[in-house]
Every structure is written in C-alpha cells, then in structure tokens.
Amino acid sequence: MKIQKWILVTLVFCQKMPSGAGEEKTVKDGDWVDLACAPNTGATLVIWLRVLGTGMEFIASFTKDGYLKSSTPSSESTFSDSMRGGILRLKSFDRTRDSGAYSCASLVSNKLEFGQVTRLVGVEVAVEAPQPTAPNQCPTAAPCACNNKEKMEPGETRPRGLCSLGILGALAGGCGLLLLLLIVSTVYCNREFTSYLKC
C-alpha cells in the first residue's frame, strides 16, 4: 500500500508522459475498447492511468503477470479485472465518462517508465429521423384496411373476422329452435315418466 501511495504522489508531481500524441481512437457509446500499452519486461507492477485536465486519475494496478492488484470502485465495473499481453479492456464506452488519454506506467527498480498513450474520443451516433408518410398511405408494408371502396372516417378500419348479420341471424334462429325442441322433449318425457310411475 505504501508503494501505491508513493507512486500516486510521484504521478501528481512529476506527470512525465512520453512525448507525442500517441494513438487516437474514435469510439461509439456502448462499444468495448482494448487499451494497449506494452509494459517494461522487468516491471514488478503495472499501473493504468487516465490523463485529466488537472492531473492524472488512477484506474488500476496489475502484477507483472496481469493479475489485478488494486483498483478504484468506479473502475471495477468499467474495466476488465485482468490485463493480458499489456491490454486492458474498457467494457462499455461512455463518451461523457470515458473520453481522454490513457497510458500505463511500469514500476522498474522504483522508477516509473510510461508506455504508449491512447486517446479515446467519443463520437455521437446520428439518429435517423422517421420519414413522413403520405396521408393516404399506410405506414407499414402490411395490407391496408384504409383502401376500401366504402367511405370511412379517417383512422377507422373495418373489423375482420366478424360474420355478417344474415349469418348471425341464421345461427341465432337455429340455436333458438334447438332450445325449443329441448324444452318440449323435457316436458314430454317428464309427463311420460310421471304417468309410468302412476301405473
């Protein structure tokens, strides 16, 4: 823990980054990004940082084998928990939160050696505006119910699957006749049954 505090103090006051702009990547929100930074082969600790306008932000530190040593609570959900081949993965880019310059620093014999800088720039994805539809056309490719020859009110559609009144009338009449036959047979059978019992 003392080494990390010493490293952070050194970073705040020294802030020696390699010269040159480094690599710049344009990234869309939600994409994952691999941040590459080859640490020194003799490093005992690799520290990942983000350069801010006022200083540097500590992301995480890893052992020379790529295992997570320490991180901030905010970076635990944002970055991968291991580093493979000098690559740290940002899981889901958010341009308001994650834009900036990233680099790693190797701790070799109590000296920090900074690696390559990667600058992430968020791009705004243009949302396509919906195309207006003509007033007499349906908005979908499905068959329109609005092209009937009969005059209908705007927005009114004819219900499908309903029977016409003639068919409904015939069905109701048939059901009524069956009900009447059921009542007559019940009364007749009841009379016959009671007269049978009297005998």
Side-chain angles (χ1 to χ4, degrees), residues 141-177:
C144 291
C146 54
N147 291 335
N148 293 336
K149 292 181 181 178
E150 298 175 16
K151 195 166 192 174
M152 299 176 112
E153 293 296 321
E156 182 185 355
T157 58
R158 172 172 288 189
R160 295 181 181 178
L162 292 180
C163 300
S164 67
L165 290 177
I167 294 173
L168 283 176
L171 284 173
C175 288
L177 182 62

Side-chain angles (χ1 to χ4, degrees), residues 5 9 26-29 48 77 85 92 128 143 149 153 158 160 165 167 187 191 199:
K5 287 181 182 175
V9 169
T26 54
V27 189
K28 290 186 280 189
D29 281 355
W48 278 91
S77 59
S92 179
E128 193 174 311
K149 292 181 181 178
E153 293 296 321
R158 172 172 288 189
R160 295 181 181 178
L165 290 177
I167 294 173
V187 170
R191 258 193 211 156
C199 295

Side-chain angles (χ1 to χ4, degrees), residues 38-41 43-47 104-108 111-115:
N40 188 308
T41 52
T44 55
L45 188 70
V46 178
I47 303 157
C104 73
S106 304
L107 182 63
V108 182
K111 287 193 325 187
L112 285 176
E113 295 181 9
F114 286 91

Side-chain angles (χ1 to χ4, degrees), residues 1-37:
M1 198 67 173
K2 288 183 180 180
I3 292 175
Q4 289 178 351
K5 287 181 182 175
W6 177 82
I7 290 169
L8 289 176
V9 169
T10 306
L11 291 174
V12 170
F13 290 108
C14 297
Q15 296 183 15
K16 293 179 182 175
M17 296 294 285
S19 59
E23 181 186 8
E24 185 171 298
K25 290 183 178 181
T26 54
V27 189
K28 290 186 280 189
D29 281 355
D31 286 356
W32 54 265
V33 184
D34 282 341
L35 300 166
C37 183

Side-chain angles (χ1 to χ4, degrees), residues 55-117:
M56 292 188 180
E57 175 186 37
F58 172 76
I59 296 171
S61 63
F62 297 89
T63 64
K64 63 180 179 179
D65 299 322
Y67 295 108
L68 181 66
K69 192 159 176 80
S70 70
S71 64
T72 62
S74 62
S75 65
E76 287 175 2
S77 59
T78 309
F79 295 91
S80 59
D81 59 357
S82 64
M83 183 183 71
R84 291 185 176 84
I87 293 176
L88 179 67
R89 176 163 286 182
L90 195 154
K91 296 176 189 174
S92 179
F93 182 79
D94 179 351
R95 64 189 164 96
T96 57
R97 177 194 67 202
D98 301 321
S99 295
Y102 293 82
S103 183
C104 73
S106 304
L107 182 63
V108 182
S109 302
N110 291 332
K111 287 193 325 187
L112 285 176
E113 295 181 9
F114 286 91
Q116 150 190 354
V117 176

